[in-house]
Each structure stands twice: as C-alpha cells, then as structure tokens.
C-alpha cells in the first residue's frame, strides 16, 4: 500500500540525495545512516515543499498496556504493519486477540528490528533502561515517547523525552507525542464539539516530526506542534492535570481532551 | 455593597469562631491573625457548607502592565474597590485614565495596605524581591500570583507561586491564578464556543481558594481548581505553550484559551 506524505525541502546534501531516490526504502528507514538533527540546526520554515509516493512505515510498539492497545488498533486500522514488543510475548494471547491477530507480538528486539517507527508505551520507570539496552537498534530510528514521568518528573528542567533521547545516544530521533491523550479517546478521534482532538507533539528532528504529524492525521486527530524536545516538558506536566480535570470536570470519563480554543 | 460568598465548614476552632462573628471584618481580612494553612492539613471535601453576607473584598494590584489593566477593569466592573501599586504612581496618569479614575494609583505599600486581596502582576524577575520587601504586609493576606517565570522557571520542580510564597514567609496565603489567560480575553469572558473561558487556579489555603474562585466567577470566567501550590508548576509551563499555539493555530489573536473539552 502506498500513500503520499508531505516532506520539507531537503536541508542537507545527504537528505537531498536521499529524497530524489526511488521511493524504497522509506525516507525514515535510515537506521544505518549517520543522523543530522535537522530541526535544531537547519530551520526550514520558509522552504518550499515536495511530495512523493512512499510506503506506510512499519510500526513497533513497546509495551502491551491500554495505550499500546488503543494506539496500535488505530494505527493498524490506518493500514500500518504493527509489531508489539513484550518481555513475555508468549503470555499475551488475550492482548493479541484484542489488538487484532494481523498484528505481531514479539520480543522487544524483534519488534524494534521490524519497526521503522518505534513507539515506547512502557511505564516511565522502565523507559530509560530499556532505551539504553536497545540503544544500538533504536539509534537513527524515529522513536515516539508517549510515557509519563508523573512523580518521577526530571527536576533539572528536562522533559522525559529528553531523558529517553539521552539514553539512546547521539543519533536519537525522539518525538514526544500522545502523552496528553487518554487511551479511550482513540476510538473517538473527535470530541463533543465535533472537532478532531489535539495530539500535542514535540521534537528536534524535522523529518521525524513530519512522520509523526502524518501518523496523527492518519488516525483522525489534529497534530499540534509544541516545539522542541526540551519544550516537551510542558506535556509531561499537563498529564497529571488532565487526569485531575477529567475527574473533577468530566466525571472521570477518560474521554476529555486538552484544546486551545479559538478567540 | 454586599454579596454572599460560599465558604467551607470551619476546620479549626479559630476559623469557626471567626465564621460565626458579625460579617465585618470580611473573613479574608485577617492580616493580624496567625494563619493556618487549611488546604494542606485539614481536608474539608466532605464538610457541609455555610453562607454569609460579606462585603466585596478590596483589591490591590501591584503593577501597571497589560494584565493589571485588563484584570483591574474586569474586577472593578464587578464592584470591587481597586488600588494599583506602582513604583512611580505620579507618572501613571495615562494608565489611570485607561483603568478608570474611580480606581486609585498609589505606591506599593499604600496599595497593599488598602487591599484585602493583593494581585501581583509584576515582571517575574521582580516578584520574589518585592514579596520579600513587603512580606510583613503581605503575610496573612490573600495574594494572587499571576506572574510567569518563562525562562526563569525554577528548575527544582517548584512553581513560581511557591517561590513567591516562600519569599512572603510562613503565613503566606498565595494562590496561582490567571497565568493561563491572555489580557485581551478579559473583555470577552466567553470564547468562540460561547462557553466561559477557563481560569486555572491553584493553592494550599482553602479560604483563599474560595475567595479566588468567587472572584473568577464574578468576572464571568469558569474557575478550574488545579490543585496545590506545588501542582501550579504546570500552569507556569502552559503559558509559553499557550503563547506559541496562539501564534501557530490562531494567528496571534491573543484571544485563544486553554480548555479541557468534554468527551
């Protein structure tokens, strides 16, 4: 299956050469290539845009919790191959049934190897160690960190996603996303206003940001670019408040959403 | 002028005695009395509520910027006495004209002395020093901190309002509020959805929280209790993102608003 994605004008010679090649391999599948962090160092805001036909990136999802299930079903429904990574995949038959048996449930390493985009949905306390353990495989891949520090908020001012990127190392291409969304909302991408819910996402890598933006649109949500990975700290903080206000304002529906409303 | 305000059941003997007295002085005007931090230590969520007739509290506003003007006009229109505090009140004739000449523009000390609730709208870098300088006068009074740390965010995990409270000292009764609201929205308390905009507020003192809740309602906004003063750190972080998204999503209208939308 082929789709068209919108990519920014090449910002380096390497990316430029890459972009003019045949559509296979997908431009985001570059795990063996050195990575240039294009978002921080090469602003492209005024650059013209090009389109090209590419395959839908294969998705690995580490973890088998509520968010993994909800997000995985939405992304699989949008036509992507999904491989879940689990420490004990042999015990996950019920999860596999719920997720859809077209998906795969493998160990972490096999899932990461299969994914062009890797989504980390583990409990926050396991994230840095897991990222460090699989750093070589995650390096250069687009990694979406949806995990929530809560009381483990790094108090040096960093975002949780920055900690994850540090654990992966120099070629990390981490995007913070889906932190401020309840699992129960994925089956219902528009809220009571009839408008798509916002997905807040942030990162330093322009190409990774574009890929995540596309993924958010594909599952029916509205991508809201919240800046760099450092600026993603606000998303970590917004999650406990979201949970609180869902309880106090919306009877713990787990279907309320953050939104910046128009004037 | 008299209004009825809703107060929680007394949580200490002192408060209880106070509440059963004649309606003058207003229960929040207790600057000479030792203060008990009721919100942290004496949860009252299941307590029955009482009502009593009290005068509208007099408001001091430190600062003469856009937020001081917008907030002051709204609160004065709701029937409160307003005294602005300025370092150079003699130079503020134009501001006084804009704010409405029924207001007063005095030095900091005179404004604080006149106010039962003191709203700090200074640049963040001046807040702690000012709070320390006038600590004796601010101690025991309800203080609303609307200031934004931005890049001066305390990176030990504290909220800016906690820093302000520490500067005032042991009897500080600080509430963080109005941080996540643009000045231009005060003339238009409902947004494009037709619903009142949210004012996020947080603090440790139950009586102060009730007074601020009442003030928010009086000017036509929806009070959203965001927890303790420590939890107010999220509001500090949400402000830069609000400014960013107002630019990227709403053409720098300065009239967009944060909202938790219903399912």
């Amino acid at each position: 299956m082929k789709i068209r994605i919108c990519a920014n004008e090449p910002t380096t010679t390497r990316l430029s050469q890459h972009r003019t090649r045949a559509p296979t391999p997908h431009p985001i599948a570059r795990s063996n290539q050195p990575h240039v962090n294009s978002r921080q160092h090469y602003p492209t805001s005024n650059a013209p845009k090009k389109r090209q036909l590419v395959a839908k990136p294969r998705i690995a999802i580490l973890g088998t919790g509520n968010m993994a299930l909800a997000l995985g079903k939405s992304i699989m429904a949008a036509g992507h191959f999904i491989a879940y990574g689990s420490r004990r995949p042999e015990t996950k038959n019920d999860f596999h049934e719920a997720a859809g048996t077209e998906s795969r449930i493998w160990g972490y390493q096999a899932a990461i190897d299969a994914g062009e985009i890797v989504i980390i949905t583990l409990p926050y306390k396991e994230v840095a160690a897991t990222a460090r353990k699989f750093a070589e495989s995650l390096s250069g891949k687009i990694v979406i960190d949806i995990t929530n520090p809560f009381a483990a908020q790094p108090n040096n001012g960093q975002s949780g996603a920055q900690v994850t990127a540090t654990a992966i190392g120099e070629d990390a291409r981490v995007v913070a996303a889906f932190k401020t969304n309840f699992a129960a909302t994925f089956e219902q991408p528009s809220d009571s206003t009839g408008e798509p819910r916002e997905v807040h996402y942030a990162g330093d890598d322009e190409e990774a940001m574009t890929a995540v933006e596309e993924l958010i649109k594909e599952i029916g949500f509205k991508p809201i670019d919240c800046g760099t990975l450092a600026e993603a700290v606000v998303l970590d903080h917004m999650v406990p408040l979201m949970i609180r206000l869902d309880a106090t304002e919306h009877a713990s529906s787990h279907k309320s959403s953050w939104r910046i409303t128009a004037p």
Side-chain angles (χ1 to χ4, degrees), chain A:
Chain A
M1 191 180 294
K2 306 273 181 184
I3 58 153
R4 298 198 304 171
I5 70 162
C6 176
N8 285 322
E9 180 67 8
T11 53
T12 69
T13 304
R14 184 184 55 73
L15 286 171
S16 176
Q17 289 171 341
H18 192 86
R19 195 112 24 165
T20 55
R21 280 189 209 147
T24 308
H26 186 276
I28 63 176
R30 307 183 296 109
S31 58
N32 296 323
Q33 300 182 26
H35 174 61
V36 176
N37 185 325
S38 59
R39 189 164 157 91
Q40 284 184 314
H41 304 303
Y42 304 93
T44 59
S45 55
N46 294 321
K49 296 187 174 191
K50 287 185 180 177
R51 284 167 173 272
Q52 64 177 163
L53 285 173
V54 289
K56 290 206 178 192
R58 297 183 301 275
I59 310 290
I61 299 180
L62 305 189
T64 54
N66 288 342
M67 278 294 288
L69 181 62
L71 196 49
K73 284 172 76 172
S74 288
I75 295 173
M76 196 164 69
H80 293 260
F81 169 85
I82 303 275
Y84 291 96
S86 167
R87 272 184 304 189
R88 300 185 60 197
E90 69 281 9
T91 65
K92 300 292 177 184
N93 288 344
D94 290 350
F95 179 89
H96 196 199
E97 198 73 37
T101 48
E102 317 90 282
S103 69
R104 297 290 174 267
I105 306 197
W106 293 330
Y108 285 168
Q109 185 65 61
I112 293 169
D113 288 346
E116 289 160 288
I117 297 176
V118 180
I119 307 178
I120 303 179
T121 73
L122 303 173
Y124 182 76
K125 64 183 195 304
E126 298 175 16
V127 174
T130 306
R132 221 171 285 120
K133 183 172 176 186
F134 296 98
E136 202 178 315
S137 307
L138 293 170
S139 180
K141 288 199 185 196
I142 293 171
V143 172
I144 302 178
D145 182 350
I146 77 156
T147 67
N148 297 315
F150 294 111
Q153 180 70 41
N155 277 335
N156 58 358
Q158 284 202 322
S159 66
Q162 279 181 295
V163 176
T164 305
T166 302
I168 295 173
E170 205 180 325
D171 288 337
R173 308 177 72 196
V174 175
V175 174
F178 300 110
K179 288 173 180 262
T180 53
N181 301 92
F182 282 111
T185 61
F186 286 95
E187 290 186 347
Q188 197 180 305
S190 293
D191 64 24
S192 55
T193 68
E195 297 293 318
R197 299 175 194 271
E198 296 183 351
V199 175
H200 302 109
Y201 70 119
D204 296 334
D205 183 299
E206 203 65 71
E207 214 173 29
M209 286 292 282
T210 301
V212 175
E213 177 189 1
E214 197 59 31
L215 200 58
I216 293 167
K217 286 183 189 164
E218 282 182 53
I219 64 171
F221 286 70
K222 182 179 179 185
I224 301 286
D225 180 342
C226 294
T228 64
L229 217 56
E231 290 171 309
V233 67
V234 61
L235 306 181
D236 294 334
H237 283 290
M238 283 167 70
V239 175
L241 182 55
M242 172 181 83
I243 293 167
R244 175 193 177 91
L245 299 185
D246 182 69
T248 58
E249 306 295 323
H250 298 295
S252 300
S253 68
H254 294 173
K255 287 194 172 181
S256 60
S257 304
W258 280 118
R259 180 187 291 288
I260 278 277
T261 54

